[in-house]
Amino acid sequence: MTTDRSKQPPLAGFRVIELARVLAGPWAGQMLADMGADVIKVENPEGGDDTRAWGPPFVEGADGENLSAAYYHSTNRGKRSIAVDFSKPEGQEIVRRLVRSADVVIENFKVGGLKKYGLDYESLKAVNPKLVYCSITGFGQTGPYATFAGYDYIVQGMSGFMSITGEADGQPMKAGVAIADIFTGIYAVAAIEAALIHALKFGQGQHVDMALLDVQAGVLANQNMNYLISGRAPNRMGNAHPNIAPYEVVPAADGHLILAVGNDGQFRRLCGIFGIESLADDERFASNKARVAHRAELRPIICAETVKWKKRDLLDACEGNAVPAGAINTIGEMFEDPQVKARGLRIDLEDRDGNRIPSVRSPIVLSETPLVYERPSPRVGEHTQEILEELQQWERKA
C-alpha cells in the first residue's frame, strides 16, 4: 500500500471480520477489501468456505496444488484467512477478541444461528459498542419467512424477477449469475459505509439487516412502477423493453445485435440508415408511445432491414449516426474488447508462491483514493498466525 496518505484507499485502517460464506457476504467483504479495509475471513479449519469446492474449474498452482475453485476466487480477493472453529469455546473467544479490534462484522447465518455461540449482534455489541454488524439472510430478521433458508435462485422466483425474464411463450428464466446475492452484497456495502459514518460521528454502532428478497424485489425498478401505476403485472417479453421500442435484439446477416433506440430523434436517424425515412412520420411510429403501442407491427419492418446487414457494418452505421446499438459478446469476446482492455478490467494477482491468479477489478474508480489489489484469495487459514500475533500486539496497547 502506498505511504502517501492522500493516495491510500478510502477504507484503509478499517477492519472487517467476515463470518460469511458462499456469495452475498463474501461479495460485500471483497468490495470492502478492494477499498482498503483489512478483511479477515474466518473459516472452518475443515475445508473453509463451501465455494472452495464448487468446481470445476479449479485454480491449479505451479506445483499442481489445488488452490480452490474459480467460484471461490471470484469473491474473496484481497482478504486474509484465519482458521477458527467457533463451535468450540476457544474459537468463540478468538472471534470475540478479533471483534474488539474491528469496525465491522459480516455474517450470513440463519436468523439466530450465531446466538448459541455468543456471536450474535447483542453479544458482540457488548464487546464493541461501535461495531457495525451486518446480517445477510434470505428474508431478513423479521416476518413470517425470517427463519427460512434463503437461496438466490428461489429468491429470483419469489421476487417476481423470473416472471419478467425469458421469452413470452417459454419458461420463466433466472439470470445467468446469482444477481440476488450480488446485488445484496453491493447494497450491504452501501449500508455498512453509512453505518460507519454514523459510528464515526456518534460512537454508536448498529445492526444492518439485509435480505435477499428485499433487494431483489427492490431492484425491479421501472417494472415495479409499471405494476403499481397500471395495476397490471408485467409479462415476459424476451429481449424487448416494456417501455421503449425498438429496444431489443434484432437479426443481422451473420448473427444478432442490440438496438437501443431511446427517443424519437434516434428512431428517425435509424430509419435514415435503412433508407425508410417516411417510417418516422407514420403516426403508428412517430413517437415512442406510439411505437410501444404498435411494436408488433414495427418489429417485422425493422428486422427486415437489419437482416440485410452484417453486424459490424450495421454497428458502424449506427455509431456514425448516433443511434445506440451494441454487439452481443461471449465472455471471451468481452475480455478481448478494446474498451475492456483499455479500462484494465482483467487483473492478475500473484500469491505467496508466485502463482498468478486472474481476477476482475472492481468497477469503482476513484481519482484521489484509488482501490487496492495486493493479494489474491487466501488459502484456508493462510494468515492465522500472522493475525493472532497482530491481535496480541493490539491487545497489549489497548
Side-chain angles (χ1 to χ4, degrees):
M1 189 181 298
T2 178
T3 56
D4 180 353
R5 290 182 60 85
S6 67
K7 293 296 183 181
Q8 285 189 342
L11 296 183
F14 288 90
R15 172 167 285 182
V16 178
I17 309 303
E18 184 184 293
L19 305 178
R21 62 266 194 246
V22 186
L23 186 51
W27 193 267
Q30 179 170 267
M31 287 186 66
L32 295 170
D34 288 344
M35 295 179 193
D38 177 20
V39 178
I40 297 175
K41 186 176 183 70
V42 179
E43 298 191 79
N44 190 308
E46 301 299 324
D49 192 305
D50 295 349
T51 60
R52 289 183 180 275
W54 285 13
F58 293 91
V59 176
E60 185 175 300
D63 59 358
E65 180 187 2
N66 182 343
L67 300 180
S68 296
Y71 194 120
Y72 168 79
H73 287 278
S74 73
T75 189
N76 286 288
R77 172 183 64 233
K79 304 172 187 177
R80 297 193 291 170
S81 172
I82 183 170
V84 175
D85 183 356
F86 55 73
S87 68
K88 298 178 179 178
E90 56 269 28
Q92 295 159 20
E93 181 55 28
I94 289 174
V95 174
R96 279 191 286 272
R97 289 170 61 200
L98 285 169
V99 168
R100 291 188 185 97
S101 70
D103 303 282
V104 177
V105 165
I106 301 173
E107 62 92 6
N108 63 350
F109 285 75
K110 287 184 180 180
V111 171
L114 290 176
K115 189 171 185 178
K116 61 185 175 183
Y117 305 126
L119 302 178
D120 57 304
Y121 173 60
E122 293 299 327
S123 298
L124 295 183
K125 181 174 71 169
V127 169
N128 182 350
K130 294 193 294 184
L131 183 68
V132 173
Y133 187 104
C134 179
S135 294
I136 298 176
T137 58
F139 303 102
Q141 301 293 303
T142 58
Y145 302 160
T147 60
F148 293 4
Y151 296 91
D152 174 277
Y153 196 170
I154 292 171
V155 165
Q156 287 193 41
M158 292 178 67
S159 67
F161 173 81
M162 289 176 63
S163 76
I164 58 171
T165 305
E167 295 295 337
D169 57 353
Q171 285 188 345
M173 295 294 291
K174 70 178 183 65
V177 294
I179 58 170
D181 278 333
I182 292 172
F183 270 123
T184 302
I186 295 168
Y187 270 89
V189 169
I192 287 166
E193 291 173 334
L196 281 173
I197 291 171
H198 176 82
L200 288 171
K201 285 183 174 180
F202 303 107
Q204 179 190 47
Q206 59 186 299
H207 192 187
V208 177
D209 174 9
M210 299 299 307
L212 269 65
L213 182 59
D214 293 0
V215 171
Q216 186 59 69
V219 300
L220 298 189
N222 59 298
Q223 292 283 41
N224 280 336
M225 293 304 295
N226 289 343
Y227 167 72
L228 292 173
I229 299 301
S230 73
R232 296 188 298 273
N235 297 315
R236 296 190 301 282
M237 299 178 62
N239 288 311
H241 194 290
N243 303 108
I244 314 171
Y247 201 100
E248 55 203 286
V249 172
V250 295
D254 55 349
H256 293 82
L257 65 139
I258 298 165
L259 285 180
V261 178
N263 60 48
D264 298 341
Q266 292 170 0
F267 181 69
R268 183 172 292 278
R269 292 194 294 276
L270 178 68
C271 293
I273 292 171
F274 296 146
I276 52 174
E277 291 88 345
S278 62
L279 193 69
D281 296 316
D282 188 314
E283 63 180 11
R284 296 172 299 168
F285 312 126
S287 69
N288 181 69
K289 181 179 179 181
R291 291 192 295 276
V292 169
H294 296 278
R295 68 166 74 242
E297 300 160 69
L298 176 62
R299 178 172 171 79
I301 297 171
I302 297 299
C303 291
E305 297 299 328
T306 61
V307 77
K308 300 173 184 176
W309 294 67
K310 289 188 175 180
K311 290 185 294 184
R312 187 68 263 164
D313 293 339
L314 182 51
L315 288 170
D316 288 345
C318 287
E319 181 179 352
N321 288 274
V323 175
I328 301 173
N329 291 328
T330 65
I331 292 177
E333 288 169 337
M334 177 272 289
F335 278 115
E336 291 303 313
D337 188 285
Q339 178 66 21
V340 171
K341 286 187 171 183
R343 296 288 289 175
L345 284 173
R346 173 177 171 158
I347 55 177
D348 291 284
L349 303 173
E350 188 171 310
D351 73 3
R352 66 187 186 190
D353 296 325
N355 298 302
R356 296 192 67 80
I357 299 173
S359 192
V360 181
R361 72 159 176 82
S362 168
I364 297 169
V365 178
L366 302 175
S367 64
E368 300 306 316
T369 54
L371 275 58
V372 61
Y373 309 101
E374 292 185 339
R375 55 165 70 97
S377 307
R379 293 167 169 82
V380 178
E382 179 179 347
H383 305 95
T384 299
Q385 191 59 37
E386 172 184 298
I387 292 167
L388 290 176
E389 289 175 359
E390 290 177 3
L391 187 56
Q392 289 177 341
Q393 294 175 8
W394 181 88
E395 289 169 336
R396 283 196 292 267
K397 295 177 182 178

